[in-house]
Amino acid sequence: MSDIQRHHSNARISKIVTHGGLAYLSGQTAKGSAVAEAGIKEQTAEVLSRIDALLAEVGTNASRLLTVTIYLREIADFAGMNAEWEAWLEGNHATAPTRTTVEAALATASLLVEMTAVAALA
């Protein structure tokens, strides 16, 4: 049985948990970035960049994604988010993972998108 490893943890959350050959990423947003109050395309690009960085930290990448859940403040932003998503997949030479997209009230009014992900470790 493999060990559970937690990365970037505090009393409430770990940004990454690895176990059983999988990497689980907590919800990623643009919070704290220069684009935290920008539009859906900019925030989506930032979130995807953060996912790339976290996956790389545990030795995997977007081509190993199994599933992603996307939370949009407004479902009307679906097309703008999808444009960034498709470009990101293509740029990473990644095939599409399973995906769910829902409209949700996010923690901060300026946040437009949040994503969680599960990827296979390399």
Side-chain angles (χ1 to χ4, degrees), residues 94-113:
T95 54
T98 67
R99 191 180 98 174
T100 301
T101 305
V102 297
E103 183 177 76
L106 300 178
T108 304
S110 64
L111 295 177
L112 304 177
V113 59

Side-chain angles (χ1 to χ4, degrees), residues 51-65:
I51 288 172
D52 277 335
L54 291 172
L55 292 173
E57 187 174 324
V58 294
T60 193
N61 59 59
S63 72
R64 311 272 301 159
L65 280 170

